[in-house]
């Protein structure tokens, strides 16, 4: 692995970026939070759910927690975007449990295109949330929650009005390979297994897989397994041995070694830190 596939944030992360140089993510990544990505200028190639999208001004992606995604520049030297990552539980100062559940239903993963008027409004709302994130003091947390909620509602309202934009489907063999990995990650998988499943040579598969997804087959498989481990650590009471059986690692020792290498701490300490943070 080049580096961790997990991009950690606190309860909320907002970032504006105007990049004038080519930039490819070192490896596919995921978050334990929702992400809303707004393209403001230039072009950015975005690989998500077996599809490659050429994002341009007005394009928005809604990404669920633990969904692996990847972005790259390719021929484009410039792109401008806003991104917000948020934990829906962080909206509890303003929303009831029932309202949170309704919000989760609205936050369906998709990639849509906004009109210019909607894009300008989205940019205004992102900027206001960004400004509020720097505030401290009386009611600052509720003001920030309100601003984030307005971003979410604007984007999900737009998502309800428009169909998703069309992306370029990945090579059918790569889609088949991804489906094979996503289905069989719990078992011991070899490169021969994947190549046989999609009826191609190992050399051809490895080259096309990396060109399409930005990761090698085993980087993707390791990322996938660790994303499952991460999810189970914070959302279940399963023991490490139980998690081993559900995520495809050969032993608790191997799981702990892989997790610590990428996340910096053993999985048991990671779970304790997460529980202590809540």
């Amino acid at each position: 692995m080049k580096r961790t596939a997990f991009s950690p944030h606190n309860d909320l992360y907002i970032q504006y970026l105007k990049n004038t140089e080519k930039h490819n993510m070192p490896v596919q990544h995921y978050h334990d939070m929702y992400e809303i990505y707004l393209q403001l200028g230039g072009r950015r190639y975005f690989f998500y759910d077996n599809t490659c999208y050429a994002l341009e001004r007005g394009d928005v992606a809604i990404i669920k927690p633990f969904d692996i995604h990847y972005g790259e520049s390719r021929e484009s030297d410039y792109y401008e975007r806003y991104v917000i990552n948020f934990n829906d539980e962080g909206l509890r100062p303003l929303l009831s449990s029932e309202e949170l559940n309704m919000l989760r239903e609205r936050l369906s993963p998709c990639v849509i295109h906004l009109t210019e008027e909607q894009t300008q409004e989205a940019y205004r709302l992102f900027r206001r949330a960004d400004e509020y994130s720097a505030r401290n003091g009386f009611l600052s947390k509720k003001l920030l929650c309100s601003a984030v909620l307005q971003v979410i509602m604007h984007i999900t309202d737009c998502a309800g009005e428009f169909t998703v934009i069309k992306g370029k489907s990945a090579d059918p063999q790569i889609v088949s390979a991804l489906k094979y990995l996503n289905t069989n990650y719990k078992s011991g998988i070899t490169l021969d297994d994947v190549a046989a499943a999609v009826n191609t040579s190992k050399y051809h598969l490895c080259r096309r897989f990396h060109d399409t997804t930005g990761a090698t087959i085993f980087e993707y498989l390791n990322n996938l397994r660790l994303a499952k481990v991460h999810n189970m650590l914070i959302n279940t009471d399963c023991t490490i041995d139980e998690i081993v059986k559900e995520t495809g690692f050969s032993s608790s020792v191997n799981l702990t070694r892989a997790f610590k290498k990428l996340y910096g701490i053993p999985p048991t300490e990671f779970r304790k830190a997460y529980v202590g943070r809540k």
Side-chain angles (χ1 to χ4, degrees):
M1 293 292 294
K2 300 174 185 176
R3 71 175 194 181
T4 177
F6 171 54
S7 294
H9 303 310
N10 293 321
D11 291 339
L12 177 70
Y13 174 80
I14 305 174
Q15 185 194 50
Y16 166 78
L17 179 65
K18 186 174 183 178
N19 201 326
T20 56
E21 297 179 354
K22 292 183 186 296
H23 173 69
N24 297 337
M25 289 182 179
V27 70
Q28 293 177 329
H29 74 245
Y30 71 92
H31 314 276
D32 57 353
M33 311 167 77
Y34 286 95
E35 177 173 310
I36 297 179
Y37 178 107
L38 171 65
Q39 188 81 9
L40 291 168
R43 175 174 288 190
R44 184 73 170 159
Y45 290 90
F46 179 72
F47 186 83
Y48 179 56
D49 193 25
N50 303 337
T51 303
C52 184
Y53 300 92
L55 300 183
E56 297 181 334
R57 180 172 173 81
D59 292 340
V60 174
I62 301 176
I63 306 166
K64 290 195 310 181
F66 302 103
D67 278 2
I68 294 174
H69 50 287
Y70 173 73
E72 62 183 9
S73 295
R74 296 191 182 177
E75 78 283 355
S76 178
D77 291 328
Y78 156 71
Y79 72 96
E80 183 180 1
R81 56 89 169 142
Y82 242 122
V83 66
I84 182 169
N85 295 87
F86 60 94
N87 185 335
D88 53 1
E89 287 292 327
L91 300 174
R92 281 198 177 276
L94 293 182
L95 300 181
S96 66
S97 295
E98 182 179 357
E99 288 168 334
L100 273 175
N101 289 332
M102 294 173 65
L103 181 65
R104 292 180 185 117
E105 292 178 3
R106 292 176 63 99
L107 285 166
S108 299
C110 62
V111 182
I112 62 171
H113 180 72
L114 308 184
T115 65
E116 180 58 28
E117 182 181 356
Q118 291 169 329
T119 301
Q120 291 180 16
E121 175 65 6
Y123 176 59
R124 184 185 70 81
L125 293 172
F126 266 89
R127 283 191 61 186
R128 183 165 63 182
D130 199 359
E131 292 167 359
Y132 283 171
S133 69
R135 287 193 179 188
N136 293 305
F138 182 62
L139 295 181
S140 58
K141 187 171 183 179
K142 287 193 175 183
L143 282 171
L144 176 57
C145 285
S146 175
V148 171
L149 188 57
Q150 288 181 63
V151 171
I152 296 168
M153 296 307 297
H154 176 65
I155 297 300
T156 55
D157 284 346
C158 292
E161 296 175 8
F162 292 90
T163 56
V164 297
I165 66 172
K166 292 183 178 180
K168 181 181 178 182
S169 295
D171 182 324
Q173 284 187 326
I174 303 306
V175 172
S176 295
L178 287 166
K179 288 180 178 177
Y180 181 85
L181 294 169
N182 291 336
T183 301
N184 297 283
Y185 68 89
K186 293 182 183 181
S187 59
I189 296 175
T190 67
L191 186 55
D192 287 327
D193 293 333
V194 186
V198 300
N199 194 29
T200 190
S201 70
K202 292 187 288 186
Y203 172 79
H204 175 78
L205 176 63
C206 289
R207 180 173 58 83
R208 292 293 300 128
F209 193 95
H210 187 274
D211 288 346
T212 303
T213 68
T216 69
I217 289 173
F218 286 107
E219 283 175 343
Y220 178 85
L221 180 59
N222 202 46
N223 291 344
L224 177 64
R225 285 171 170 165
L226 286 170
K228 303 294 184 183
V229 170
H230 185 170
N231 195 0
M232 293 185 72
L233 284 171
I234 67 174
N235 290 316
T236 77
D237 294 324
C238 293
T239 66
I240 298 299
D241 287 338
E242 290 170 334
I243 293 175
V244 166
K245 294 178 182 178
E246 290 297 316
T247 55
F249 285 93
S250 59
S251 68
S252 59
V253 172
N254 286 338
L255 184 154
T256 299
R257 183 184 298 119
F259 194 93
K260 185 175 180 180
K261 180 180 179 181
L262 297 181
Y263 298 87
I265 59 174
T268 50
E269 292 184 22
F270 180 90
R271 173 179 267 171
K272 288 178 183 177
Y274 177 83
V275 171
R277 189 179 76 182
K278 293 181 68 176

